Amino acid sequence: MPHEVHAVVAAKHGAPVELRTILVPDPGPGEVLVAVQACGVCHTDLHYRDGAINDEFPFLLGHEAAGVIEAVGPGVTALAPGDYVVLAWRAPCGTCRSCRRGRPWYCFDSANATQRMTLPEGTPLTPALGIGAFAEKTLVAAGQAVKVDPHARPEAAGLIGCGVMAGYGAAVHTGAVGSGDTVAVIGCGGVGNAAIAGASIAGARRVIAVDIDDRKLDGATRFGATHTVNSRGTDPVEAVRGLTGGHGADVVIDAVGRPETYRQGFSMRDLAGTLVQVGVPDPDMRIELPLIELFSRGGALKSSWYGDCLPSRDFPVLIDRYLSGRLDLDGFVTETIALDEVESAFDKMRDGRVLRSVVVI
């Protein structure tokens, strides 16, 4: 019997989101029904709303969530009703060519729920990143629900489902930051600050935060930045070199995803340094780099998919670090809001007034 719940729907390209009644099926084979407790408002949700991901409207938004398993479908044995979970938008299949090569964090056939959630008249909804968690309940593949310590409050725990994991993993997994490294992070929003936190936890000697907003730079020190650079009035490449003995950083993380920040990151690396792109660019953006510099500087240019994480491995670890006081997830929560306040949260996010607005249900 379908469940009638309230949810946030993007009905058409660029239109304000709406609070609607939707129908959520009981879980089928390999699926679980989750009672959502909290869900962060991420830039990716805004990209969906604005049609920058695809045109499969209407969208059921929300994907950075924590909640409780309400029911499980046939064949689900690793989860049970009452389990406290964080939702992941990647659930490795175990059988694709990447999983078979021992790289499940790159899974090319990630699992989602088979059944569709719908509007009351039967119109199918496209869940953002296969989750759709701006809703009182949502239906996901069992592999997307990762059991974690229930002592973590859902407003904070849900954030590892996307932004925090993406930034943290960009530093720890993709960038392989190690003890004594120097790291520069361009862009001090939620993802950038998570990269700063990850670099700090990994033992970086210096973590340099780069942004055009002094408020964000002040906040970055809370997550482990040792130095800050306001690139609005200062050449960030020269500033980072000046803070690293004239050499540049061992690892640079671009958490903005624009051609100008990528070029800055490319140039502020040390010889054989690594540049990691984790900020999501617009589809029409292009980059041009001097090929001789690409050859002569060496190192690596990498993109980070979801922080190259394995949710079943990494989510519990990050929650443990939060509960032990090593990872300040609470610091990412700027405000808590209701389901009907998502559109205003998008405005605050655009203006840079929040790290995360979190919907509490």
Side-chain angles (χ1 to χ4, degrees), residues 318-340:
L318 265 62
I319 290 296
D320 287 348
R321 286 178 175 162
Y322 164 60
L323 292 174
S324 68
R326 296 182 64 201
L327 178 60
D328 183 14
L329 292 179
D330 292 323
F332 290 91
V333 182
T334 307
E335 63 173 2
T336 57
I337 61 173
L339 272 173
D340 61 0

Side-chain angles (χ1 to χ4, degrees), residues 173-244:
H173 300 315
T174 317
V177 173
S179 179
D181 281 348
T182 56
V183 179
V185 178
I186 306 172
C188 300
V191 173
N193 279 328
I196 288 168
S200 179
I201 289 172
R205 177 186 177 194
R206 289 190 180 91
V207 183
I208 305 164
V210 181
D211 203 286
I212 60 173
D213 187 333
D214 282 332
R215 294 172 303 172
K216 290 185 177 181
L217 291 170
D218 288 341
T221 60
R222 173 174 183 171
F223 298 100
T226 58
H227 301 77
T228 62
V229 174
N230 188 321
S231 57
R232 185 180 294 278
T234 301
D235 182 337
V237 175
E238 291 305 316
V240 169
R241 286 178 177 167
L243 291 166
T244 55

Side-chain angles (χ1 to χ4, degrees), residues 53-239:
I53 304 293
N54 58 53
D55 291 321
E56 296 174 11
F57 289 91
F59 292 111
L60 174 59
L61 299 184
H63 60 277
E64 206 174 57
V68 174
I69 299 291
E70 188 166 294
V72 302
V76 177
T77 58
L79 294 166
D83 284 346
Y84 181 57
V85 296
V86 172
L87 301 185
W89 54 264
R90 176 170 289 160
C93 67
T95 58
C96 73
R97 63 190 185 278
S98 186
C99 287
R100 292 197 308 270
R101 293 171 68 192
R103 302 172 182 173
W105 46 88
Y106 293 144
C107 177
F108 301 149
D109 192 22
S110 181
N112 295 127
T114 301
Q115 299 181 90
R116 300 293 292 271
M117 294 176 276
T118 68
L119 295 173
E121 66 272 19
T123 302
L125 295 162
T126 302
L129 290 175
I131 294 178
F134 287 152
E136 293 163 331
K137 299 179 185 180
T138 193
L139 185 74
V140 297
Q144 292 179 273
V146 179
K147 189 175 178 180
V148 298
D149 191 319
H151 292 96
R153 69 186 191 111
E155 299 96 313
L159 300 185
I160 69 171
C162 185
V164 168
M165 188 70 255
Y168 183 98
V172 174
H173 300 315
T174 317
V177 173
S179 179
D181 281 348
T182 56
V183 179
V185 178
I186 306 172
C188 300
V191 173
N193 279 328
I196 288 168
S200 179
I201 289 172
R205 177 186 177 194
R206 289 190 180 91
V207 183
I208 305 164
V210 181
D211 203 286
I212 60 173
D213 187 333
D214 282 332
R215 294 172 303 172
K216 290 185 177 181
L217 291 170
D218 288 341
T221 60
R222 173 174 183 171
F223 298 100
T226 58
H227 301 77
T228 62
V229 174
N230 188 321
S231 57
R232 185 180 294 278
T234 301
D235 182 337
V237 175
E238 291 305 316

Side-chain angles (χ1 to χ4, degrees), residues 240-284:
V240 169
R241 286 178 177 167
L243 291 166
T244 55
H247 305 301
D250 298 305
V251 180
V252 180
I253 299 168
D254 177 8
V256 178
R258 294 187 59 83
E260 55 267 36
T261 55
Y262 194 85
R263 284 191 292 267
Q264 290 169 355
F266 178 82
S267 298
M268 68 175 62
R269 296 175 303 145
D270 195 357
L271 292 172
T274 298
L275 171 59
V276 177
Q277 180 191 340
V278 65
V280 180
D282 290 340
D284 60 346

